[in-house]
Amino acid sequence: MPINLQVRWGRILLLINLCLFSFAVLLNMWALRGWNSFGNKELLQASNSHHRDPLGYYPLLDVATYGPMRFDAELRGKSIFKGPPSELLDNAWSKLVNQPMILVDNEALQSFDPTSKPSKGVDGHYYATVEVYHQLHCLDIIRKFIWRNHYQHVDTFMDPPQMVWEHVDHCIDLLRQVLMCNGDIGLIFYTDVGKEQPIARVSTTHMCRNFSQITEWVNGHDSELGVFAEV
């Protein structure tokens, strides 16, 4: 082969090798960048998973399990919690509402109520009430307000009339927020009664927390300071 032709082929092969080398370098750089991005993403997710999650500080989160419960909500249905004032009725509501305060650590306090206001406590733990009992207390106040002529001896109703109205109004608005917060997405269907307005079938099945488990846990963690119904 002539020398000029050998030189020409040598240059072509060198150019091809340079191109292949450059392509390999670019490919490795792209792969390395992708690996770093993937690694950063994994680290970011891992880091985010350790961010403070308020749900992780709910003392009852793993205690009160969910399960199906059918509501007994018929208009004329009987219930221990319905009807005009009676000793039996009042005892039922009292057992439902009057539950003890508990003591929680500072971590729980900061998760739920990060405030500069002083919190009542003892030995680095702070008094608290599980929300559901405050909400039930409010419902009980509204119930008693309807029958307030019978419940004039209740402390709440011995306040000046304006304060009584403010307390009841507070309770109504609190329960509005509770209902909206929990936003029940179940469906109510209607019984066809011909030309008349259909009748709602309101006794339906819901997924509910086990209320007995909540009450049992709260009583097992009694702060022994006394009941905390009046919020």
Side-chain angles (χ1 to χ4, degrees):
M1 180 180 296
I3 296 177
N4 290 339
L5 187 60
Q6 288 181 346
V7 171
R8 184 180 301 172
W9 274 106
R11 290 176 178 175
I12 292 174
L13 291 174
L14 179 61
L15 182 61
I16 292 174
N17 286 331
L18 287 173
C19 289
L20 290 174
F21 177 79
S22 299
F23 178 78
V25 170
L26 291 173
L27 185 63
N28 284 330
M29 290 177 64
W30 175 82
L32 182 61
R33 181 180 179 182
W35 182 86
N36 285 336
S37 297
F38 176 77
N40 289 338
K41 183 177 180 181
E42 289 298 301
L43 290 174
L44 182 64
Q45 289 175 344
S47 177
N48 284 342
S49 68
H50 288 87
H51 286 176
R52 170 171 282 192
D53 179 5
L55 288 178
Y57 294 86
Y58 277 58
L60 280 153
L61 188 62
D62 298 322
V63 175
T65 58
Y66 276 96
M69 184 178 77
R70 186 169 180 81
F71 284 15
D72 182 7
E74 299 303 323
L75 186 61
R76 296 179 178 83
K78 294 183 178 180
S79 169
I80 189 62
F81 299 105
K82 292 172 62 176
S86 69
E87 184 178 356
L88 189 64
L89 179 76
D90 288 341
N91 286 339
W93 276 96
S94 179
K95 290 179 180 178
L96 197 65
V97 173
N98 292 336
Q99 299 299 329
M101 284 190 285
I102 60 174
L103 286 167
V104 299
D105 59 21
N106 185 64
E107 195 169 39
L109 170 67
Q110 294 303 317
S111 295
F112 282 89
D113 187 21
T115 177
S116 59
K117 296 180 180 179
S119 296
K120 186 174 181 61
V122 59
D123 295 332
H125 287 72
Y126 301 91
Y127 291 102
T129 296
V130 179
E131 277 275 10
V132 67
Y133 299 111
H134 175 207
Q135 296 155 9
L136 287 170
H137 155 75
C138 261
L139 186 59
D140 193 32
I141 286 295
I142 297 171
R143 176 189 72 86
K144 289 175 178 174
F145 183 74
I146 294 171
W147 300 93
R148 56 190 177 279
N149 289 335
H150 178 82
Y151 292 107
Q152 293 180 5
H153 63 283
V154 174
D155 290 345
T156 300
F157 303 143
M158 295 175 69
D159 292 330
Q162 182 61 31
M163 289 186 62
V164 174
W165 277 104
E166 288 177 356
H167 197 154
V168 173
D169 221 19
H170 147 79
C171 281
I172 291 172
D173 198 48
L174 170 68
L175 295 180
R176 172 194 64 80
Q177 294 175 75
V178 171
L179 290 170
M180 293 176 69
C181 172
N182 291 289
D184 194 331
I185 56 175
L187 300 176
I188 294 177
F189 292 91
Y190 296 82
T191 299
D192 187 356
V193 290
K195 295 181 179 180
E196 299 178 14
Q197 183 174 342
I199 300 174
R201 301 197 290 272
V202 291
S203 293
T204 54
T205 301
H206 302 248
M207 288 299 292
C208 306
R209 288 194 184 277
N210 189 314
F211 189 76
S212 296
Q213 291 175 338
I214 298 175
T215 302
E216 182 180 353
W217 185 91
V218 168
N219 280 273
H221 292 77
D222 188 346
S223 65
E224 299 183 354
L225 188 68
V227 297
F228 192 51
E230 299 293 333
V231 181

